Every structure is written in structure tokens, then in C-alpha cells.
Amino acid sequence: MASTWQPDQAQLRQLAEYLRDSLSGRDPNVQKRASLMLQQAKSNPDITNYLTCILCGLPPSINLPNDDIHLARTSAAITLKNIISQRWPNINAENRDYIQSSVLQCIQDPNLQIRNFSGNVVTEIIKAGGIMGWTAVFPELLALATNERGDTTTAAQQGAMSALAKICEDNKRALDRVYQGQRPLDAILPRLYHLTNSQDPKVRALALESINVFIPQKPQILFQTLETLMHHLFQLASDPSDDVRRYVCRAFVQLIEVKPEIVIPHMEGLVTYMITQQRNHEDSELALDAAEFWLAFGEHKQLTPHLGPYLEQIIPTLLECMVYAEDDVTRLEGERDDAEEEDKEQDIKPRFAKSRPVAVNGKSSSEASNAKSANGEATGGDNDLSEGEIEEEDEDEEDPEDEWNLRKCSAAALDVLATHFHEPVFKISLPYLKQNLTHQEWPNREAAVLAIGAVADGCMDAISPHLPELIPFLLSLLQDTEPVVRKITCWALGRYSRWAMKEENRGRFFEPMMEGILKTMLDRNKSVQEGAASAFSNLEETSRYRLTPYCKPILQQFVQCFQIYKDRNMFILYDCVQTLAEHVGPQLANAELLDILMPALTERWKIVTDQSRELFPLLECLSYVATALSDAFSPYAVPIFTRCIGIVQQNLEQYLRVSNNEALDKPDKDFLITSLDLLSAIIGALPHEKSAELVSQSQPNMFSLLRYCLEDPNQDVRQSAYALLGDCASNIFPQLQPVLPSLLPVLIQQLDIDSMPDEEADAAFAVINNACWACGEIARHDKQSVMPHLNQLYERLSKIVANPDVPSSVNENAAIALGRVGLWSSAELAPRLPEFAKTFLQTIDPVEDTYEKSQALLGFNRIVGQNPQALGDSMIDYLQAAARFYSTKCPEENAKESFQQVLTGYKNIIPNFAEFVAQLTIQEQQAIHSYGV
């Protein structure tokens, strides 16, 4: 039914003016006043209708210039989206209907930006109300995108398809769930295939982009229609639109990940196609997507051999694409010496805190980590903004050197292929290297050095005979006239540090290499300093504890860098210090080394303010230093711990103020994250009694702050908060125990994977991983606190263990937590044993042999001892677990004895026990007999 709501014209005009002024940067005072007035206007129960009305276009009676109207409509869309996100369930049904019907008209607007903003609103409604909250939107959008009625404009088709693409991206998992016996994706995917035949290239590209969103999710409907998809991909491969061909390349890359064997019959055509697209000099994005194909292919061992016959075509293409493009050459040509110049604010890279992972099972809390490109630089992920959306955080352009591009991707692909094919890759590359290493043009020299570094790991045997000549030559390039060449040379040298560190090469090659990179850290060019520092950090990663004899000169060089580095390079210098601390460990506690390092760090500690973004890497660095120094960090702990508590308190208080007044600036959560991580590190590093004293004297009380952090809306904050909770349980449990009644319900709620939002799945799993670990640490200490929540805790943990869609690291940590819960609650969990025994045993089997795993198995054995008949068809799994555990170096002394007791019990109550044992391998049978059974 059409809405009868009509706006008040005066209020409509006034709101339009406020919206316009809120985005206009001409007068900051006017902008601020407009923001305050908009905040007040949100109390109007019809505010969403007014915003929707303005988004759809102001009536002629509101006489404003066209530019002002566009600003007002843009601001209305952004404001409406935010209100929907916060209040959708509280908006009355009539107003919701008005928004939904109106915004479907807006996505047909002639203006591209208005269409895109309207699509964002549509997506937000789905996100806030759920898939079943607006089922009519899907047939409406599909009808518009396909021009089902025959009179839909091209702009409207594009707007509908764009909105549909956004919905697919944000709801890729939700669309594949069953609602009332049906999966929405089963109806949507075939329509998307049909849309790839659209007459409009934009619609074709968006349709294929939407299909690609679902491929990694491996939905059932995709596998049922793979032949159809392949048909459409081959049909689109020759599409005149670069955008369409880009998504064709991406589709094949995605298919390699989920169904690798499907591409094998088409190898020859795909190789030729990808090489052609990679050599497209007009569209660098298309070329990059084609190059990604080799990376994806090379990372599948069963697929890589199929590239062998085509190496003579692929390798030269990769080498050709590793040379800087003309625009980059112009930008980089003749970089000047700038080491003494202060960094401009826009030149300083944004630094984002990395939440602290825990690794109970030998894996970090997030299975996905930032990839490193083949020249050692972190690669950026996709921009999560929807098309047409304004980024609020950072309007500065990204440094081109930090972008993942064709050059870096080609080098990474060369690295992957070298790792598989070894000598053939080097032989094909050798003529190019000989021709270009001494080339007069620096871009060719730089690309050749990049190639030398890229093949280091895979072609080491083939290249080793050349290294006695090559290493000195590379060392000479540290004096090259071009800073870009000096920078890449540092990285390439670092790639050969493992070879140079061999005892027979150490004096002749490693020490000059280390000295050369250290000296280059003081280069007269800041970009070279950065490259050298990054290379030395990588050298530390490969050399690890073997750097111990060189700590003194290394730290002395670091101290010189602290004295001359400007803001930007100070960040990576902290990384060098923390990497050294991580790998040298307690050796850093030597008094002479402390006297070199700690004055430099404490000086920075005094200089860096609580508002400086340099605080992030400094706190992160101190976390590693504290862990390495252990008790030797005690003299520095009190002021650092106290300051971290203060930063956490300030950040939480600022967030509370913003919650009550949206006009205020939101606090930067990275300050909160890094402070929580340093608190964790200090508590874990110091002797328990000193950590307990720090916590008991904290003002305000640390646990009162932690309670808020555990419920913070930011996933990274919660990840660090649960790591801190686990460290407290592990190291200062008596101080934690009194507050557990208020913290455990929060922890258990965090373990609910059904309430996890699709679009934040990776971050949410990282939080759940740390929560599982914290749960296990608490459970091993205290039955009394856990007992009131035991049933709910069991339900949550067992559900995570059994869910195949959960990352394996999270499955494993949940299994460990569940086993540790059984340490003191075996009688209560014994009746549930048939429900989780098999998945528990299969999940925990591949986990590294750690103290936590052995405790979990001890807890499981205690549960089995209470209900031995319940193992049923899990008996073979159990016997295999027992056999494998026998040969481990068991850190939990009671675990092996518990296996022996359970096995003895089974031998006594199962008449045909020997027949079960006979189903094991000979080695496993011997292990079972070794228990004395």
C-alpha cells in the first residue's frame, strides 16, 4: 500500500540545508553547527522519511542550486544509512515501507553517485533486518537488472545490479542458509548467470563480480552448476570490456581454490589467455588479475606440474612485468637525499594496531595473515568500501610503493614457480639476469635484482655456485646512484642470509652482508633507510637465535637510527627491535645490551605522547621486549603498566562520551588495542607475584576496565581483551577469580558462532579463538566458577568443534578448551560423551604436542573414565589418539597415566578388545602394548 506520508515543506528545506552544510567544507563553523542540528533532528520520529524524501530528490518548491541539492542528497543517504544501522528494528512499519519503496526508485536515478549511495542504503536495510526482513527486494532488483519489463533504462539496470552486487558481497553466507526450506542463493545464482549475457557491459561485469563473491564459500548450487559457469566464463573471455575480462580472470583464480581439477583440461588455452591479459599495458588492474592466476596455480602442488610445459612462455612474461612502469619510473627518477628533512604528515603511513593472537595449537588466532609480496613488503587487501561511498578515516592517497601491483605480483609468482620447478626456472631466467644486472638503465637493473631475490628460495641449489661472485656484486649495488636500486638490493641480500649464515660462509659472506644492510639503514635517502630496515627485519627472521653474538653491534646501529630517523621510518625501526627481541629472547637481558637498548626506548617513551600514532609500534615493540627480558623488565614495568591503564581508561571514557553525543570525534581504538597487548605481555613476562602486585595496585582497577573491553563493538579490541583475560588466568588467577562471575557470561556469549556477522567472519573467528583459549585457562584452574555455566559452555564449545565451516585453528582451540573443562567437570560431561567424542578426537589429533593439548586429553580421559561405554564407534579414534600420545614428550605427567588407566579398563570390560587393537597399524599396536595393556 502506498504511503500517505507528506513532508512539511519548511522542515524539509531546513533539513536539506543542514545536510548540505554538513558536507560543505567552506566554513568549518557552519559545518559544525549543521552537524549539531542534524543530531537534534534525529529525535524527530519521521527523520528517516525526511531523509528518504531528500535522497529521492527535492521538489521544485525547494529552490536550491543543483550542486547544493546533490550535496544534500548525498548527505541524506549517508545519514539514513547510519540511522538504519542503529535503529532499524525501532522504526515503525509504515516508515520502513516508505523507505523501502522509495529507495528502490532512487537506485534508478540518472546520477551514478546517487544510485550507488541508494544501493548502500538497500544493503544496510538487509543487513539490519535480515534476509527474510525484505524478501521482495530480490525479485525487484533482478527484474530491473534484467529489464524484465522491457522499459528499464540502462542507468536503472546498472543501479539495480550494483545494489544486488552489494547485497551479495555483504550477505554471501546468509544467502546460502536455509529459510523456510529454501536457500535464496539457489534462485539468485542462475539469474546472475543469465545477467552475464546483458547488453550492458557494466551489468555483465557486476553480475560476474557477484558470482565470484560466492565461489570461495563453496555453495552447493555452485557445484551443481559448474558446467554452466564454465560455459559463461569462456563466452565472456573475449568480451570487449576490460572490466568483464578482469572478473573472468578473478573467477578462474577463485575456481582454482575451490575446484582446482576443473581447469586442467583447459590448460593450454588458459595459459595463452592469461599471458595475453597480463601483457595488457592499457589496463594495469586487468594485467594484475591475470598475473594472480600464476600465484593461485603455483600454490596448489597437485596443479603446479601442469604449468611445466609452459614455463618458457610464463617466465619471460613475469620478468618483463617486473620492470617498473613508465609512470613509476618518472615518479622515482632521481630521488634526492632527504634523510634530514622532516616527514610531512601526509607522508607518514597510517599505522594500524595488530591485535595480539594466541597460539595454543601452534596456529595464530587468525588463519589469514597479511601476505608479503615478493619484495618483502606487506600487501594490502581489497578496499571494503562500496562504490560511491566516502571513506571517513583517511583521505590521503596511498603511497604507490605500498600498493599490491603487477610488478610485485609477477615477482611473487616467479618466487612460487621457482619453489616448485627449481633449476628450470633459473635456467630460463639466467639470460635475462646476465643482460640486466649491469644494465645502464636503472629500471632494468632494479628488476634484475628483484628477480635474483625472487628465485632465492626455490633455486638455491642452482644459484649457489654463482653466489660467491653474486653476493659481493650485490653488496656493491648498495652504493648505486639510484636509491631504488639500493633499496631493492637490501631486500635481495636478505633473501640469501640463510645461505650466508652457514658456518663455512659466515665470516666471508654473512658478516659483510649484515654490516652492509646495517650501514644502509643510515642511508641519506629515507626510502632506502626504510628498505634496509625492512630487509634487516627479514634477516632477523631467518637468522633467529644465531644473531646472538652480533647483538651488541646491531643494537648500537639501532640506537644511531633512533637518533636520526624521522617519524615514518621510526615505525619500522621498532619492528627491527621487536623482531630481534623475539628471536634472541632472554639473551637480550644481558646487562651490557640493556644499557644500550633501554635508554633509547625509554627516551622515545618520554617523547611520544598519548595522542601520537607512534605509540602503536612503540607499545607493540615493548611487548616483545618485555617478553624477552622477563624479570629484567621489572625496573621499567611500573610506569609503563600505569600509563597503559591510563590510556585504556581514557579511550573507554571517550567512547562513552561519543555514545551519548555522536557529534564528538570517535576515539582511535588502536591505542586501546596496543595498550591491552602490552598489559598482557607484562603480566606474562614478570614473575607472578610482581604481575599480581601491578594489577592489584592499578588505578582504576584493571579488571573493571577489562569488563568493558570484552564487550567492545570493535573485534580487534575484543581479540586483545580475551588474550589479556587468558594471560591473567594463566599467570595471576587468584587476582582474577573474584571477578569471574561477572566475566564468564560475557565470555560464553562471545562463543556463540550463530550470532556472528558474515561480513566480519575472519575478525570474529580471531576473537572466538582467543576466547576459547581464555576459557581453557580458566577451566583448568577453577571448577567452582565454571559450574554454574557448564551446560551453556559445553553447548557453545562442542558446536564450534563440530562445525566444518569454522577455521581449523578455532576448531582445535575449542577442542582443547572443552577437554580442559573436563579436568574438573568429568562427571557432569560424561553423559554427553557420545555427542562430542568423535569430533573431539578427530579435531585434536593434528594439534601440536603442547602442555595445553596434553591437559585437554587428560580431561577427556577423565570424562571417558566416568562413562567408558559411551565411546561407541569412536573407539578406533580413541585408540589411535592413545597410540600417538605414547610417543610424545608429555608435559602433563598425569596424561599418559590416564590413558593407561582407561585402556586397562577397556581391556577388562571388552571381551574382544584385541580385535579393536588389531585394526591399528603395527606401530600403533606396539604403542598400545607399551601402555602395559
Side-chain angles (χ1 to χ4, degrees), residues 854-929:
S854 59
Q855 270 204 328
L857 288 170
L858 173 59
F860 183 76
N861 280 339
R862 288 180 179 176
I863 298 170
V864 174
Q866 296 280 345
N867 189 8
Q869 294 87 354
L871 268 188
D873 64 354
S874 302
M875 177 60 75
I876 297 300
D877 297 291
Y878 180 79
L879 292 174
Q880 289 173 333
R884 287 165 191 158
F885 189 80
Y886 188 84
S887 60
T888 64
K889 295 179 179 178
C890 175
E892 169 54 72
E893 58 184 20
N894 296 320
K896 193 168 288 186
E897 182 182 342
S898 72
F899 270 115
Q900 185 175 24
Q901 291 172 351
V902 172
L903 290 170
T904 301
Y906 275 128
K907 182 182 178 182
N908 293 331
I909 66 174
I910 301 178
N912 59 341
F913 182 69
E915 294 178 12
F916 280 102
V917 177
Q919 297 178 50
L920 305 179
T921 66
I922 297 298
Q923 189 176 3
E924 289 169 343
Q925 291 180 44
Q926 291 172 346
I928 295 296
H929 296 320

Side-chain angles (χ1 to χ4, degrees), residues 228-410:
T228 304
L229 174 58
M230 293 293 285
H231 170 76
H232 283 280
L233 290 177
F234 287 123
Q235 192 174 41
L236 295 168
S238 57
D239 197 283
S241 166
D242 284 357
D243 287 340
V244 173
R245 297 200 308 280
R246 184 181 312 130
Y247 289 117
V248 169
C249 292
R250 291 182 186 179
F252 280 117
V253 169
Q254 301 270 35
L255 286 170
I256 287 172
E257 299 297 331
V258 301
K259 189 77 171 175
E261 64 274 15
I262 199 169
V263 301
I264 294 175
H266 312 285
M267 278 304 302
E268 185 173 356
L270 280 172
V271 168
T272 302
Y273 180 75
M274 293 300 174
I275 288 174
T276 302
Q277 303 310 311
Q278 187 172 344
R279 283 179 161 156
N280 185 322
H281 300 297
E282 304 300 319
D283 189 330
S284 58
E285 281 192 56
L286 172 57
L288 173 57
D289 283 316
E292 294 273 8
F293 180 80
W294 316 120
L295 262 184
F297 214 95
E299 288 170 355
H300 282 267
K301 291 182 179 179
Q302 74 273 31
L303 286 185
T304 313
H306 295 279
L307 288 179
Y310 309 102
L311 289 180
E312 294 280 358
Q313 300 165 250
I314 298 169
I315 302 302
T317 303
L318 295 176
L319 293 168
E320 170 191 320
C321 293
M322 285 162 58
V323 181
Y324 271 110
E326 287 184 16
D327 290 347
D328 293 320
V329 171
T330 304
R331 175 176 54 83
L332 295 167
E333 197 98 57
E335 280 191 343
R336 67 186 189 285
D337 297 344
D338 60 355
E340 296 183 6
E341 296 178 13
E342 295 296 331
D343 290 330
K344 298 175 184 176
E345 187 173 350
Q346 62 266 31
D347 293 336
I348 301 173
K349 296 178 185 177
R351 175 74 182 212
F352 303 105
K354 294 177 289 185
S355 297
R356 177 170 172 262
V358 294
V360 175
N361 54 2
K363 299 178 184 177
S364 73
S365 63
S366 176
E367 290 191 325
S369 60
N370 284 333
K372 287 227 176 168
S373 70
N375 60 354
E377 297 173 4
T379 63
D382 292 338
N383 191 331
D384 289 333
L385 293 178
S386 298
E387 188 177 357
E389 192 166 359
I390 295 172
E391 184 170 10
E392 299 174 1
E393 296 285 332
D394 180 18
E395 296 180 357
D396 295 330
E397 291 186 6
E398 185 180 10
D399 185 338
E401 285 299 285
D402 297 327
E403 294 175 358
W404 178 246
N405 54 32
L406 177 61
R407 171 179 168 274
K408 294 180 181 180
C409 183
S410 298

Side-chain angles (χ1 to χ4, degrees), residues 387-635:
E387 188 177 357
E389 192 166 359
I390 295 172
E391 184 170 10
E392 299 174 1
E393 296 285 332
D394 180 18
E395 296 180 357
D396 295 330
E397 291 186 6
E398 185 180 10
D399 185 338
E401 285 299 285
D402 297 327
E403 294 175 358
W404 178 246
N405 54 32
L406 177 61
R407 171 179 168 274
K408 294 180 181 180
C409 183
S410 298
L414 181 64
D415 184 352
V416 169
L417 294 179
T419 301
H420 182 86
F421 291 104
H422 310 299
E423 188 173 357
V425 172
F426 180 67
K427 284 185 175 179
I428 297 170
S429 305
L430 191 56
Y432 175 89
L433 297 175
K434 288 181 176 178
Q435 181 181 351
N436 288 279
L437 274 173
T438 57
H439 203 285
Q440 289 187 345
E441 299 295 330
W442 71 261
N444 297 75
R445 289 200 306 278
E446 196 275 348
V449 175
L450 176 57
I452 286 287
V455 301
D457 284 350
C459 300
M460 186 60 72
D461 289 343
I463 204 171
S464 288
H466 305 271
L467 289 179
E469 295 180 15
L470 183 59
I471 297 298
F473 173 75
L474 290 175
L475 288 170
S476 74
L477 288 182
L478 294 176
Q479 309 301 319
D480 195 279
T481 55
E482 284 296 330
V484 185
V485 176
R486 300 200 297 273
K487 180 178 180 179
I488 198 64
T489 301
C490 288
W491 170 76
L493 281 167
R495 296 274 286 178
Y496 291 95
S497 59
R498 189 174 281 107
W499 174 86
M501 179 52 90
K502 291 180 180 178
E503 189 171 346
E504 63 270 22
N505 298 328
R506 197 168 299 174
R508 186 180 170 193
F509 296 109
F510 179 78
E511 291 176 7
M513 178 188 293
M514 181 182 68
E515 183 181 354
I517 297 174
L518 280 171
K519 284 183 177 179
T520 310
M521 287 177 68
L522 295 170
D523 194 273
R524 54 197 178 276
N525 179 276
K526 286 191 284 192
S527 179
V528 179
Q529 291 176 356
E530 178 187 21
S534 177
F536 197 81
S537 180
N538 289 335
L539 181 144
E540 290 172 323
E541 291 280 4
T542 57
S543 303
R544 302 172 72 84
Y545 66 90
R546 291 182 290 271
L547 283 178
T548 301
Y550 307 103
C551 277
K552 183 176 178 180
I554 291 171
L555 290 176
Q556 288 172 333
Q557 195 76 352
F558 287 173
V559 169
Q560 288 190 60
C561 294
F562 273 117
Q563 294 168 355
I564 71 164
Y565 274 14
K566 306 305 178 188
D567 292 341
R568 173 172 171 149
N569 286 345
M570 195 67 72
F571 290 9
I572 197 166
L573 181 57
Y574 288 127
D575 189 61
C576 289
V577 174
Q578 74 184 45
T579 306
L580 184 69
E582 179 183 9
H583 295 304
V584 173
Q587 304 301 322
L588 208 59
N590 175 285
E592 184 181 18
L593 300 181
L594 281 177
D595 289 342
I596 299 171
L597 173 63
M598 292 311 295
L601 287 179
T602 52
E603 182 62 26
R604 295 308 302 175
W605 179 257
K606 294 174 186 175
I607 293 172
V608 178
T609 68
D610 287 356
Q611 292 74 41
S612 170
R613 294 187 72 84
E614 187 185 331
L615 194 63
F616 307 154
L618 175 55
L619 292 173
E620 190 178 336
C621 174
L622 285 169
S623 297
Y624 283 86
V625 171
T627 301
L629 297 185
S630 191
D631 193 23
F633 191 76
S634 296

Side-chain angles (χ1 to χ4, degrees), residues 514-793:
M514 181 182 68
E515 183 181 354
I517 297 174
L518 280 171
K519 284 183 177 179
T520 310
M521 287 177 68
L522 295 170
D523 194 273
R524 54 197 178 276
N525 179 276
K526 286 191 284 192
S527 179
V528 179
Q529 291 176 356
E530 178 187 21
S534 177
F536 197 81
S537 180
N538 289 335
L539 181 144
E540 290 172 323
E541 291 280 4
T542 57
S543 303
R544 302 172 72 84
Y545 66 90
R546 291 182 290 271
L547 283 178
T548 301
Y550 307 103
C551 277
K552 183 176 178 180
I554 291 171
L555 290 176
Q556 288 172 333
Q557 195 76 352
F558 287 173
V559 169
Q560 288 190 60
C561 294
F562 273 117
Q563 294 168 355
I564 71 164
Y565 274 14
K566 306 305 178 188
D567 292 341
R568 173 172 171 149
N569 286 345
M570 195 67 72
F571 290 9
I572 197 166
L573 181 57
Y574 288 127
D575 189 61
C576 289
V577 174
Q578 74 184 45
T579 306
L580 184 69
E582 179 183 9
H583 295 304
V584 173
Q587 304 301 322
L588 208 59
N590 175 285
E592 184 181 18
L593 300 181
L594 281 177
D595 289 342
I596 299 171
L597 173 63
M598 292 311 295
L601 287 179
T602 52
E603 182 62 26
R604 295 308 302 175
W605 179 257
K606 294 174 186 175
I607 293 172
V608 178
T609 68
D610 287 356
Q611 292 74 41
S612 170
R613 294 187 72 84
E614 187 185 331
L615 194 63
F616 307 154
L618 175 55
L619 292 173
E620 190 178 336
C621 174
L622 285 169
S623 297
Y624 283 86
V625 171
T627 301
L629 297 185
S630 191
D631 193 23
F633 191 76
S634 296
Y636 315 97
V638 174
I640 292 175
F641 197 91
T642 302
R643 184 176 179 184
C644 287
I645 291 290
I647 293 170
V648 172
Q649 180 187 16
Q650 292 167 25
N651 200 280
L652 292 174
E653 288 177 348
Q654 188 180 352
Y655 177 73
L656 187 61
R657 289 194 293 270
V658 171
S659 300
N660 298 321
N661 185 354
E662 293 180 8
L664 297 175
D665 291 334
K666 293 181 180 179
D668 191 331
K669 297 292 180 128
D670 286 351
F671 290 101
L672 186 54
I673 295 164
T674 46
S675 296
L676 290 170
D677 289 345
L678 184 48
L679 291 173
S680 281
I682 293 173
I683 288 171
L686 300 187
H688 296 341
E689 63 276 8
K690 293 185 179 180
S691 296
E693 184 178 359
L694 281 175
V695 171
S696 62
Q697 293 179 356
S698 62
Q699 291 295 329
N701 180 267
M702 187 189 77
F703 293 122
S704 65
L705 300 176
L706 179 60
R707 172 71 167 74
Y708 290 102
C709 296
L710 292 173
E711 294 187 284
D712 195 278
N714 183 288
Q715 303 269 27
D716 292 333
V717 172
R718 295 205 305 280
Q719 183 181 343
S720 291
Y722 280 104
L724 176 55
L725 177 63
D727 276 320
C728 291
S730 179
N731 295 283
I732 53 167
F733 190 80
Q735 283 68 39
L736 173 65
Q737 191 172 23
V739 299
L740 280 177
S742 66
L743 299 184
L744 277 173
V746 181
L747 185 155
I748 292 169
Q749 180 58 38
Q750 182 63 66
L751 297 175
D752 182 8
I753 57 175
D754 290 335
S755 63
M756 195 175 67
D758 276 358
E759 66 275 12
E760 299 176 11
D762 290 342
F765 280 132
V767 180
I768 291 171
N769 199 69
N770 282 9
C772 287
W773 174 67
C775 176
E777 288 296 320
I778 293 168
R780 77 182 177 95
H781 280 291
D782 184 26
K783 177 179 181 178
Q784 184 177 353
S785 298
V786 170
M787 279 304 296
H789 310 280
L790 182 62
N791 286 335
Q792 198 175 14
L793 194 57

